[in-house]
Amino acid sequence: MARIAFIGLGNMGSGMAANQVKAGHDVHVFDLNPDAIAALVAKGAQAAASVTEAVTGADAVITMLPAGKHVRGVYEGDEGVLAKVDDHCVIMDCSTIDVESARAVGAAAAEKGIKFVDAPVSGGVAAAEAGTLTFMVGGRDDAFKAAEPFLNAMGKAVIHAGVAGAGQAAKICNNMLLGIHMIGTCEAFNLARKLGLSDQSFFDIASKASGQNWSLTSYCPAPGPVPTAPSNRDYKPGFAVAMMLKDLKLAQDAAKHVDAHTPMGERAESLYEAFDAAGGGGMDFSAMIKFLEGEAGSNS
Ligand code: NAD
């Protein structure tokens, strides 16, 4: 049994922390929201009154926070995680944040001789609860090896992507590709409908032809062909438009930083931004099919 500090008990972190309790660890939890702490205590965790109290004496620290500024706030400074943990501790930041912040925290940890990995996840709230997340991990070999057993308790796949920051890099490249092929899939359905094809007929053909992709066959934006897809429950997320927009912005920030040419990623960001501004932020990102239909209507 290890002593684990878990910080950030929101939609994702609450299920992940509960899985560490189920794995038999002594889990000390902290969040700015006292109700989130109380919910984990009811599942067998110990309440901590601060970051310092949670991480003191910990063998492992796991964080699941909204964005880079929250992660830096929790890790850096005199009261931060890096100032408070013992040398043997392994740290895993599972939040989706900008590559630069992940590298900065990784470098500060390395300077102090502390094992740190960035380990963002693929999979939503249901996977966090079920312990079936996929982790994309950046960090030194020794840090990866130390983190792996703890990540295994929360996921079905743990993949070492490279050095510090590589986990975040893999995550935002993957999600940029996802945003692009979802929009392409939505456009294809809308055009197929106008050309007189039924959704099922287009699905049956494209899913066996060269248009085949994950947005089509696992997460179909048109209701019907894939029963588990959010399109069959009024586009309730799932993976919300606001979350996709966050990841597309991180991808564009990273692209600017390293001077990579990503015109489709840029267009995907602007389309999801427009959908968000039109009030769609809380819908599943596959509802882009409805937004594009509406846009086509207003242009005609
Ligand atoms: P969330 O907003 O539900 O939870 C974040 C939690 O962090 C909140 O409970 C908040 O109170 C807490 N927090 C913020 N600042 C804090 C601080 N200084 N100290 C302690 N606690 C603090 O977010 P979420 O949906 O759980 O997402 C967390 C991360 O996971 C994000 O980076 C997100 O992009 C990523 N992610 C989310 C999903 C998803 O489907 N929700 C999927 C993959 C990745």
Side-chain angles (χ1 to χ4, degrees):
M1 179 173 81
R3 179 182 163 127
I4 297 180
F6 203 115
I7 301 165
L9 308 166
N11 293 321
M12 297 292 287
S14 54
M16 294 162 71
N19 283 325
Q20 295 296 349
V21 175
K22 276 189 207 147
H25 295 303
D26 175 24
V27 185
H28 294 247
V29 294
F30 178 67
D31 194 289
L32 296 176
N33 173 4
D35 293 343
I37 298 179
L40 256 294
V41 169
K43 291 180 178 167
Q46 313 283 325
S50 63
V51 168
T52 303
E53 193 178 307
V55 305
T56 301
D59 302 306
V61 174
I62 305 171
T63 50
M64 194 55 167
L65 297 160
K69 65 177 180 194
H70 307 96
V71 170
R72 295 189 77 148
V74 163
Y75 278 93
E76 295 172 348
D78 292 346
E79 297 302 311
V81 173
L82 296 177
K84 298 292 176 187
V85 290
D86 299 337
D87 290 353
H88 78 285
C89 183
V90 56
I91 300 177
M92 294 148 266
D93 177 39
C94 300
S95 331
T96 300
I97 64 170
D98 58 288
V99 178
E100 286 316 299
S101 294
R103 284 188 181 150
V105 175
E111 229 168 71
K112 290 174 179 275
I114 298 165
K115 293 189 271 306
F116 171 88
V117 294
D118 50 288
V121 306
S122 174
V125 175
E129 278 168 15
T132 56
L133 295 165
T134 294
F135 289 88
M136 305 160 219
V137 188
R140 290 196 322 250
D141 284 351
D142 61 332
F144 176 75
K145 280 201 184 75
E148 203 176 7
F150 297 107
L151 298 177
N152 275 330
M154 303 184 287
K156 64 172 185 244
V158 178
I159 301 158
H160 194 186
V163 296
Q168 299 296 348
K171 165 84 184 172
I172 60 173
C173 292
N174 180 74
N175 280 22
M176 182 180 80
L177 177 57
L178 172 62
I180 293 168
H181 66 62
M182 176 54 82
I183 293 168
T185 303
C186 293
E187 283 188 6
F189 269 107
N190 281 340
L191 178 59
R193 285 171 181 172
K194 294 217 164 183
L195 294 174
L197 284 162
S198 72
D199 289 345
Q200 189 65 50
S201 167
F202 177 63
F203 175 87
D204 289 344
I205 293 162
S207 61
K208 291 184 181 57
S210 48
Q212 190 272 336
N213 71 83
W214 184 91
S215 291
L216 178 74
T217 55
S218 295
Y219 212 86
C220 186
V226 177
T228 52
S231 53
N232 298 296
R233 27 172 227 273
D234 273 339
Y235 298 94
K236 192 171 164 286
F239 185 50
V241 165
M243 304 284 270
M244 172 51 83
L245 180 58
K246 173 193 165 189
D247 292 355
L248 289 169
K249 282 182 183 300
L250 288 175
Q252 285 311 295
D253 288 348
K256 281 187 195 98
H257 201 78
V258 297
D259 202 19
H261 189 45
T262 54
M264 297 294 283
E266 200 178 327
R267 186 74 182 114
E269 182 204 5
S270 64
L271 281 168
Y272 273 106
E273 185 137 54
F275 190 8
D276 185 53
M283 296 181 85
D284 186 77
F285 82 117
S286 62
M288 177 57 79
I289 193 168
K290 291 173 81 75
F291 179 66
L292 291 173
E293 230 177 5
E295 269 211 337
S298 65
N299 287 343
S300 59

